[in-house]
Amino acid sequence: MAITWNVASLDATKTVGSLSDVITTVHWTATDSDGDHTGYRYGAVGLAEADSSSFTAYASVTLDNAIAWAKAALGTDKVTEIETSIAAQITESKTPTVITGVPWG
């Protein structure tokens, strides 16, 4: 099992100061599975103000860039919390502690 991070979409502002097509928000997903059991989280995180010395315009951004930026913006503790909650979802799916439904069918 390994958490897979992905990007659903990016928000960009056309002009910020002297920069164009500046990514401001990353909409992310994180998933994992173990057989038929899956865990999933999604969210959005705003990015810090663009730094002209290390700026990457929207058209040049890669998936790896966007995931790295999202994780950095979330911070190590939040990334760990997200990944732990996904593992907990899988554990709950395998060995439920709550029963949902009706007993008659």
Side-chain angles (χ1 to χ4, degrees), residues 10 12 20-21 23 56-62:
L10 301 170
S20 298
D21 300 331
I23 295 172
T56 305
Y58 180 88
S60 299
V61 172
T62 66

Side-chain angles (χ1 to χ4, degrees), residues 23-103:
I23 295 172
T24 55
T25 305
V26 177
H27 300 266
W28 55 266
T29 64
T31 59
D32 195 6
S33 62
D34 185 2
D36 293 336
H37 307 279
T38 60
Y40 177 81
R41 289 279 303 267
Y42 64 91
V45 64
L47 302 180
E49 187 172 320
D51 176 5
S52 61
S53 67
S54 62
F55 175 70
T56 305
Y58 180 88
S60 299
V61 172
T62 66
L63 174 62
D64 289 342
N65 293 144
I67 290 170
W69 295 340
K71 286 181 169 183
L74 289 166
T76 303
D77 290 345
K78 186 67 176 176
V79 168
T80 299
E81 175 190 315
I82 290 164
E83 292 182 349
T84 300
S85 76
I86 291 169
Q89 288 174 24
I90 293 169
T91 299
E92 177 66 20
S93 177
K94 288 178 172 180
T95 55
T97 58
V98 175
I99 298 170
T100 302
V102 294

